Amino acid sequence: MRGLDYVLPLRWSRDDGLGELTAYLRRVSQHARVVVVDGSPPELFERHARAWRGVAAVHVRPDPGLDFLNGKVDGVTTGMRRARSERVVIADDDVRYDALSLARVRDLLGEADLVRPHNYYRPLPWRARWDTARTLLNRAFGADYPGTFGVRRSTFLRMGGYDGDVLFENLELIRTVRAHGGRELRPRDLFVRRLPPGSGRFRAQRVWQAYDDLAQPARMALFLAVLPALGAALLLGRHRAALAGAFVVVLLAETGRRRGGGRRVYPFTSALLAPGWVLERGVCSWLALAARVTGRGIPYWGRRIHLAAHSARRLRRVSRAAAARSRCGSARPCATRHRTA
């Protein structure tokens, strides 16, 4: 498959999945030019280099001039700089494309600046079924936030990359592309497999993902209202109202499961688990709000990130200012930090 680069930002503290990832990269390299930007400790970096010696992949460190709080953005930015093709797939280390989904993203990038697929988990341990409820509810109201995007390289370079000092870097990238006038496609029938998180990572993600909602105030307010609403219903003896609310959540999740032919990849059990997931998010939203109000933020690789993502309005203002500088002949080079706060 010509005209496609595959950028993998990587940062591992252990190598349990090295064999499986190596086999995957070998398959992907048959369809795209692979760029692995590896921010792992030196001993792991060298082990990766030996393992991937027979794989057609570029294996590099993040550029030394980059030092975002969210290190994944260092990897993405370095990879986009090293890419050669106009059409680029960016994917987390747990994303598993096949040839058809890669070709679909490549083709869609002919008409869009950013392509937003939908992830599904395989295999399906209980924690994957539980987290899939989040995906289904997101699909019911629009689209999920996947671990992979298709991005036009020229658009990425023209907008100067995106700010990596945020926790919800996926939303930051989406909003930055939109702020610079880029076109986004969200095909609901474009499914890309994802490996389920381990139990430790799954536990760590509960408050982390709730903290992301601080970048979407209406969504955050909705989840903060879950516990008070449920408590009031139970105290007032309105058990039927509580059950009706749970039934509505299941219907919404099932709506998301059916859109775009999702029934072939999303299990019905995840729709049934959706009320439990909403209750969990209600609890974690209060914990996330406490972390924000007290200034603790969220720990990330030895650092703490306080900002979930910048608002779309703020990013549009930054984009207009950058365009004005460009017209004056003082544009900054690619991948400078977007100091918006």
Side-chain angles (χ1 to χ4, degrees), residues 1 6 48 61 79-80 87 99 127 187 191 260 306 319 322 328 333:
M1 186 183 303
Y6 185 99
H48 299 164
R61 284 279 191 192
M80 294 299 287
R87 305 177 192 191
R127 56 186 179 274
F191 302 112
H306 299 277
S319 173
C328 293

Side-chain angles (χ1 to χ4, degrees), residues 314-325:
R314 183 70 64 86
L315 291 171
R316 285 194 297 269
R317 188 159 64 243
V318 171
S319 173
R320 289 194 295 268
R325 288 195 303 270

Side-chain angles (χ1 to χ4, degrees), residues 5-10 33-38 58-63 66 71-85 87-91 151 153 156-157 162 334-335:
D5 276 38
Y6 185 99
V7 170
L8 169 61
L10 185 70
R33 177 177 176 268
V34 176
V35 180
V36 181
V37 185
D38 191 351
V58 177
H59 180 221
V60 296
R61 284 279 191 192
D63 288 346
L66 299 172
K72 176 184 172 182
V73 182
D74 294 347
V76 171
T77 303
T78 301
M80 294 299 287
R81 289 172 171 175
R82 298 295 186 104
R84 295 176 181 171
S85 302
R87 305 177 192 191
V88 182
V89 168
I90 303 169
V151 183
R153 184 172 182 267
F156 189 92
L157 298 180
Y162 63 115
C334 168

Side-chain angles (χ1 to χ4, degrees), residues 238-309:
R238 297 179 178 175
H239 300 89
R240 290 184 178 179
L243 289 174
F247 181 68
V248 169
V249 171
V250 171
L251 286 181
L252 286 172
E254 180 61 13
T255 298
R257 191 176 83 94
R258 290 170 178 265
R259 284 184 170 169
R263 285 185 293 178
R264 61 188 174 90
V265 295
Y266 299 120
F268 178 63
T269 50
S270 292
L272 296 178
L273 290 170
W277 180 87
V278 169
L279 181 60
E280 177 222 85
R281 178 53 64 90
V283 173
C284 291
S285 293
W286 283 102
L287 296 176
L289 182 62
R292 183 69 179 95
V293 171
T294 59
R296 290 183 289 116
I298 296 294
Y300 184 93
W301 279 85
R303 295 176 166 184
R304 286 191 175 270
I305 301 180
H306 299 277
L307 182 64

Side-chain angles (χ1 to χ4, degrees), residues 66-331:
L66 299 172
D67 188 29
F68 290 114
L69 292 177
N70 192 325
K72 176 184 172 182
V73 182
D74 294 347
V76 171
T77 303
T78 301
M80 294 299 287
R81 289 172 171 175
R82 298 295 186 104
R84 295 176 181 171
S85 302
E86 169 66 355
R87 305 177 192 191
V88 182
V89 168
I90 303 169
D92 291 348
D93 60 352
D94 57 357
V95 170
R96 297 295 178 265
Y97 276 88
D98 58 23
L100 291 177
S101 53
L102 281 172
R104 179 94 184 275
V105 172
R106 182 201 60 186
D107 292 345
L108 289 172
L109 283 173
E111 54 183 302
D113 299 279
L114 184 137
V115 176
R116 189 169 161 186
H118 289 253
N119 286 138
Y120 68 94
Y121 287 118
R122 287 297 186 277
L124 277 169
W126 74 267
R127 56 186 179 274
R129 294 175 185 271
W130 182 270
D131 199 51
T132 296
R134 170 183 58 85
T135 298
L136 300 184
L137 290 171
N138 284 338
R139 282 171 58 86
F141 290 99
D144 194 26
Y145 297 95
T148 180
F149 292 103
V151 183
R152 292 186 71 91
R153 184 172 182 267
S154 60
T155 300
F156 189 92
L157 298 180
R158 174 172 52 81
M159 69 189 196
Y162 63 115
D163 196 337
D165 289 340
V166 300
L167 184 66
F168 200 175
E169 56 85 26
N170 279 355
L171 180 60
E172 187 78 6
L173 175 57
I174 292 169
R175 285 179 172 175
T176 304
V177 170
R178 291 174 181 168
H180 284 78
R183 184 188 181 196
E184 174 193 0
L185 287 181
R186 304 184 293 180
R188 289 191 177 125
D189 61 344
L190 175 52
F191 302 112
V192 179
R193 186 169 75 95
R194 193 170 192 176
L195 303 179
S199 56
R201 182 171 178 79
F202 175 79
R203 288 192 298 270
Q205 287 175 335
R206 305 341 295 154
V207 177
W208 180 345
Q209 291 179 351
Y211 199 94
D212 286 344
D213 286 340
L214 288 167
Q216 302 175 91
R219 179 184 172 101
M220 187 68 172
L222 179 64
F223 285 121
L224 288 174
V226 169
L227 290 185
L230 179 61
L234 295 179
L235 285 174
L236 295 174
R238 297 179 178 175
H239 300 89
R240 290 184 178 179
L243 289 174
F247 181 68
V248 169
V249 171
V250 171
L251 286 181
L252 286 172
E254 180 61 13
T255 298
R257 191 176 83 94
R258 290 170 178 265
R259 284 184 170 169
R263 285 185 293 178
R264 61 188 174 90
V265 295
Y266 299 120
F268 178 63
T269 50
S270 292
L272 296 178
L273 290 170
W277 180 87
V278 169
L279 181 60
E280 177 222 85
R281 178 53 64 90
V283 173
C284 291
S285 293
W286 283 102
L287 296 176
L289 182 62
R292 183 69 179 95
V293 171
T294 59
R296 290 183 289 116
I298 296 294
Y300 184 93
W301 279 85
R303 295 176 166 184
R304 286 191 175 270
I305 301 180
H306 299 277
L307 182 64
H310 292 104
S311 69
R313 179 182 299 177
R314 183 70 64 86
L315 291 171
R316 285 194 297 269
R317 188 159 64 243
V318 171
S319 173
R320 289 194 295 268
R325 288 195 303 270
S326 179
R327 287 193 296 270
C328 293
S330 59

